[in-house]
Amino acid sequence: MWMLPLWLWILFPGCVAVTGPQTVTGPEGGSVSVTCWYNWGYEMNGKFWCRKRSSVHCSDGFIIRTSGPEAKVQKGRFSIQDNHSLRVFTVTMENLTETDAGTYHCGVVITLWSGPRHAVEVIVSPVLPTSMPSTMEPPASTESTTPIFTWSISTEDKASMPPTVHSMGLSSQASNIHLLLLVGLKLPVFLCMVCAVVWVSVRYRGSSND
Ligand SMILES: *[C@@H]1O[C@H](CO)[C@@H](O)[C@H](O)[C@H]1NC(C)=O
Ligand SMILES: *[C@@H]1O[C@H](CO)[C@@H](O)[C@H](O)[C@H]1NC(C)=O
């Protein structure tokens, strides 16, 4: 049974994919969850979470892994839970510290230390000593509140980037089409009309001179 995933992975390495977010952010002292998707056929394989060393290697073995079942596995501040029907597994890191920031892999265990994986950048956002939730008030030029404010705006921008780019692409496409219509259709029609008017008036003048 476990041979099937192995063969699929060897024969179709690109198709046997694990995907997930590129980056996740959690506050220092708080927690962060990462959900990764895997392809059909890998439900019964183990799922792992590790620090990235290279694109195919973990730096120090698996931090935490399942052995296939959906039961939640907990190990210190880390937990991992598989969901076979959705083909996702969720890794949670609690009590985040600065040293938790870095690049990780979520992946499917195919051989002992290997398998398809996806790289996720974990960002730990610093918690400021005076963390008042009312920083949205006019910041009265308090220097410590400014970074939070800017940061939250930039993440929102990041989140809304794809739709914006998409709609910009669409509108520029629309204006391109309009330009093509103008040059390819409206301009020739206009020139034809001008020619016709000139031709008719020349002929009219010619025939009236006769
Ligand atoms: C996280 O930290 C709190 C307070 O220091 C502690 O009570 C809790 O057990 C920690 N959680 C884990 C999963 O280590
Ligand atoms: C998997 O996800 C489905 C849909 O959200 C849910 O109903 C089911 O309980 C989940 N299974 C586990 C083991 O969490």
Side-chain angles (χ1 to χ4, degrees):
M1 182 59 199
W2 64 273
M3 287 296 284
L4 176 66
L6 180 62
W7 280 113
L8 279 174
W9 185 43
I10 290 169
L11 294 175
F12 310 104
C15 302
V16 181
V18 177
T19 57
Q22 302 292 318
T23 58
V24 292
T25 305
E28 195 175 344
S31 69
V32 69
S33 288
V34 182
T35 298
C36 295
W37 289 260
Y38 53 90
N39 277 16
W40 175 87
Y42 297 86
E43 289 84 348
M44 292 314 294
N45 288 71
K47 313 298 180 309
F48 68 81
W49 179 249
C50 72
R51 283 265 192 178
K52 174 188 172 169
R53 189 176 80 199
S54 68
S55 60
V56 291
H57 290 110
C58 297
S59 71
D60 200 14
F62 300 143
I63 293 171
I64 191 167
R65 59 162 289 177
T66 73
S67 48
E70 289 183 312
K72 184 174 183 173
V73 175
Q74 180 98 36
K75 194 171 153 190
R77 301 183 295 123
F78 300 88
S79 67
I80 184 168
Q81 182 163 29
D82 199 350
N83 189 317
H84 292 171
S85 49
L86 298 180
R87 294 203 304 275
V88 301
F89 58 100
T90 303
V91 177
T92 304
M93 296 166 69
E94 287 177 74
N95 288 5
L96 288 171
T97 65
E98 256 176 67
T99 54
D100 290 325
T103 309
Y104 292 78
H105 279 157
C106 59
V108 173
V109 183
I110 301 273
T111 62
L112 199 54
W113 292 112
S114 190
R117 59 193 66 211
H118 170 77
V120 184
E121 171 99 32
V122 172
I123 297 165
V124 178
S125 59
V127 173
L128 296 168
T130 51
S131 60
M132 300 292 284
S134 60
T135 46
M136 297 308 272
E137 304 280 341
S141 72
T142 319
E143 295 222 329
S144 63
T145 58
T146 318
I148 298 191
F149 194 60
T150 342
W151 178 82
S152 66
I153 281 179
S154 72
T155 44
E156 267 172 34
D157 279 353
K158 225 182 261 179
S160 64
M161 196 79 89
T164 315
V165 167
H166 187 63
S167 63
M168 271 171 65
L170 271 183
S171 68
S172 79
Q173 210 174 338
S175 68
N176 276 351
I177 288 171
H178 184 249
L179 190 70
L180 278 178
L181 274 178
L182 188 73
V183 172
L185 206 63
K186 294 186 183 174
L187 204 60
V189 166
F190 178 70
L191 286 177
C192 282
M193 281 167 70
V194 169
C195 285
V197 167
V198 168
W199 182 72
V200 165
S201 67
V202 164
R203 244 192 85 167
Y204 178 74
R205 212 178 295 164
S207 62
S208 66
N209 280 354
D210 281 348

